[in-house]
Amino acid sequence: MRKGAWLGMVMLVVGVAGLTFATARSLPFLPRGSHLTGSDAMGGMMGTFLSGAQVPRITRAEAVALGNEVPLGASADRGRNQLVFRTSVVRLTILASPPWGKDMTFRVAGLTNPTIVVPQGAQVRVEFVNPDNDTSHGWLVSSALPPFRYMAMMGTPPAFPGSFAPPLGESYGGGMPSETITFRASASGRYTYLCPVPGHAQRGMYGVFVVAPS
Ligand SMILES: [Cu+2]
């Protein structure tokens, strides 16, 4: 990747909270990125930039609490590994691969990769946190279905405008990077949420996202 393009992308991503779908699609690292982990040069750089001071951070204790909390208006069914919202306002906290859980999964309301059900038309706000201390992660709702290939993000654009949390760098002593996205679950159907970092959905970072007809 040309240095200019890379820096331009990094500057874009650092200021990221309100990235639109159109902008997101133009990010060069999405289709062409390497492993965005802290263990390779590109990933390390990505992590450094994305974990910059501009990204809000939370403590480990806060992340643990948020990862276990059943959101207001939701019911968690542990037997079915399902989180069901019946409210038109949906507030979710999603943790990426926390060190206190199973590797390469999402943690939501104390569940691992749960099926998330929201009513059609719901206004969804997701606080996305990366507590993983050695890997970057993102979150995306897409209409693609598993199994996923290594480059899972190819051909899996966000299902709804804004249903994309760009990858955040890994956690370190300064706290756990977080970001908030909002989108409207405008069309009913069965979708998938997944991590767009290459190889992660393939290794299990995904779950079912259902928009129930109203
Ligand atoms: Cu990931």
Side-chain angles (χ1 to χ4, degrees):
M1 192 184 298
R2 285 186 304 111
K3 197 177 176 190
W6 170 255
L7 285 176
M9 183 277 289
V10 166
M11 294 313 289
L12 201 66
V13 170
V14 165
V16 111
L19 270 183
T20 60
F21 172 38
T23 309
R25 286 191 72 172
S26 73
L27 291 177
F29 78 89
L30 277 179
R32 296 198 312 213
S34 175
H35 310 256
L36 303 179
T37 69
S39 59
D40 62 32
M42 188 183 197
M45 197 171 167
M46 173 72 79
T48 302
F49 279 103
L50 293 183
S51 302
Q54 294 88 342
V55 180
R57 293 179 164 279
I58 65 173
T59 66
R60 180 188 168 100
E62 287 167 335
V64 170
L66 285 168
N68 286 326
E69 190 176 85
V70 177
L72 214 62
S75 57
D77 183 334
R78 280 164 213 288
R80 292 169 138 176
N81 197 36
Q82 190 166 277
L83 186 66
V84 180
F85 288 86
R86 294 199 169 77
T87 50
S88 59
V89 173
V90 168
R91 300 274 178 268
L92 269 173
T93 301
I94 296 177
L95 269 52
S97 202
W100 54 90
K102 189 169 182 286
D103 195 30
M104 287 294 165
T105 62
F106 292 106
R107 177 64 62 92
V108 191
L111 304 171
T112 299
N113 287 347
T115 294
I116 299 171
V117 183
V118 307
Q120 185 178 3
Q123 197 65 40
V124 182
R125 189 183 75 185
V126 174
E127 182 180 10
F128 177 70
V129 183
N130 183 12
D132 196 339
N133 55 19
D134 61 8
T135 311
S136 299
H137 298 288
W139 190 82
L140 162 74
V141 175
S142 146
S143 54
L145 298 174
F148 296 107
R149 291 171 305 160
Y150 179 74
M151 299 293 273
M153 80 295 293
M154 297 285 278
T156 58
F160 309 106
S163 67
F164 172 54
L168 291 173
E170 66 269 20
S171 263
Y172 60 88
M176 302 179 167
S178 70
E179 62 188 325
T180 301
I181 61 162
T182 58
F183 64 93
R184 191 167 169 272
S186 51
S188 64
R190 189 179 171 89
Y191 303 88
T192 304
Y193 62 86
L194 60 90
C195 178
V197 175
H200 290 194
Q202 188 183 46
R203 289 168 63 187
M205 281 193 92
Y206 68 88
V208 176
F209 190 91
V210 176
V211 179
S214 49

